[in-house]
Amino acid sequence: MAAPDFEQSLVAAIPHLRAFARSFANDPARADDLVQETLVKAWNSRDSFTPGTNFRAWLFTILRNVYFSQHRKLKREVDDPDEQYQNSLAVQPEQYGYLDLADFRTALAKLPPDQREALVLVGAEGFSYEEAAEICGCAVGTIKSRVNRARNRLVELLDDPDLKGGASESAAEAGQRGRLVKDAARG
Amino acid sequence: MNIEPTGSVDAAIQGALGRKLRESWEEVVKEEVPKKFTVLLEQLKQAETSSSGFARSDNDGGERQD
């Protein structure tokens, strides 16, 4: 890809890379660091991109590699990401319709990472199962089953009154499934 | 009192979850991209033009880290 085209495509992909990074690193600043490193790597290895293939999938693969190479190094010294994420959520209690977006994100953060990744790639970014499998370096069937398990687990989590640890009684009574059904009905 | 959800209720729930997932994703996608990213790309470009390929690297192994 010619340099100007490459740059243009890279710029256009940044918002999506930031969203994908957010599903790995729950702290937005850390997620952006991940994106920056991805951009450097993508820029320096742009000759390895095959024109005509999915550019965004190529970038997502790089971001993923960057994340996992860092993660191996850190040897899990860092954190319980779920806990971190929930702490960061606690300060943004905005309401979004019947099912609070913050509640949804809390549940999403509780999914096993491989399930969350598959769900986000397919359900949010709109990759095909095949593309998601290529990005994750696994079989198409594996992606399908991860997406299914992620969906089922999300419903369970949202149904759990203890989702946020100290959920208020009224929230517990209302029940997330009830809210989901209302959301669904609004359609 | 527990009523087993019917298949269609589950389908509706999955539809609602899907919308929530995309809403959550779109919210980040629509955020204004911080300036540091365009600054970084400018730096990468300049490094390349000023030293003709100096910044290029074949290292795609993801092992470099500060």
Side-chain angles (χ1 to χ4, degrees):
Chain A
M1 202 186 289
D5 292 344
F6 186 87
E7 188 192 349
Q8 215 173 6
S9 307
L10 206 52
V11 169
I14 290 174
H16 297 263
L17 285 170
R18 294 183 76 224
F20 188 43
R22 218 64 82 81
S23 68
F24 287 104
N26 301 313
D27 170 29
R30 266 175 62 198
D32 276 354
D33 288 347
L34 193 53
V35 175
Q36 284 194 294
E37 202 172 329
T38 302
L39 292 177
V40 172
K41 200 140 286 190
W43 183 271
N44 288 339
S45 56
R46 67 173 183 264
D47 291 342
S48 75
F49 173 70
T50 311
T53 59
N54 190 321
F55 183 65
R56 209 172 277 170
W58 181 73
L59 288 175
F60 276 40
T61 306
I62 294 176
L63 187 144
R64 207 174 173 276
N65 288 342
V66 168
Y67 173 77
F68 284 114
S69 66
Q70 285 179 354
H71 220 62
R72 271 197 297 278
K73 282 210 179 85
L74 295 176
K75 296 265 185 220
R76 301 190 168 279
E77 90 190 23
V78 192
D79 51 24
D80 171 1
D82 289 352
E83 194 179 351
Q84 275 202 349
Y85 192 40
Q86 285 178 70
N87 290 342
S88 76
L89 283 172
V91 294
Q92 353 175 305
E94 298 114 327
Q95 299 290 314
Y96 291 89
Y98 290 101
L99 173 62
D100 196 295
L101 193 58
D103 287 350
F104 177 81
R105 286 179 172 166
T106 303
L108 192 62
K110 286 186 172 200
L111 290 179
D114 58 342
Q115 292 181 22
R116 179 171 57 245
E117 180 182 46
L119 185 69
V120 154
L121 288 172
V122 174
E125 176 66 10
F127 284 116
S128 66
Y129 286 118
E130 288 74 15
E131 287 167 333
E134 202 163 315
I135 290 168
C136 299
C138 65
V140 176
T142 307
I143 291 293
K144 286 183 181 172
S145 94
R146 282 177 187 169
V147 169
N148 280 335
R149 277 182 288 150
R151 286 181 173 143
N152 293 333
R153 184 79 188 112
L154 264 187
V155 173
E156 280 174 23
L157 284 165
L158 289 167
D159 219 11
D160 183 351
D162 291 333
L163 178 67
K164 285 180 287 188
S168 71
E169 262 183 51
S170 61
E173 277 170 24
Q176 297 292 346
R177 177 178 279 265
R179 293 198 227 171
L180 273 171
V181 172
K182 281 182 204 159
D183 258 16
R186 284 195 310 170
Chain B
M1 282 299 283
N2 277 336
I3 298 166
E4 279 300 307
T6 66
S8 66
V9 170
D10 273 353
I13 287 174
Q14 290 304 342
L17 275 186
R19 283 193 295 278
K20 223 61 190 173
L21 181 64
R22 286 188 294 276
E23 184 187 338
S24 168
W25 179 268
E26 281 300 316
E27 201 182 69
V28 183
V29 169
K30 283 177 181 157
E31 277 177 21
E32 195 182 347
V33 172
K35 260 221 149 53
K36 60 186 175 187
F37 291 104
T38 41
V39 169
L40 174 68
L41 287 179
E42 276 309 311
Q43 287 170 345
L44 288 170
K45 259 197 319 195
Q46 276 170 16
E48 214 162 80
T49 49
S50 64
S51 57
S52 65
F54 171 74
R56 302 296 290 275
S57 158
D58 292 327
N59 178 5
D60 196 17
E63 294 302 327
R64 280 169 59 187
Q65 198 189 342
D66 294 336

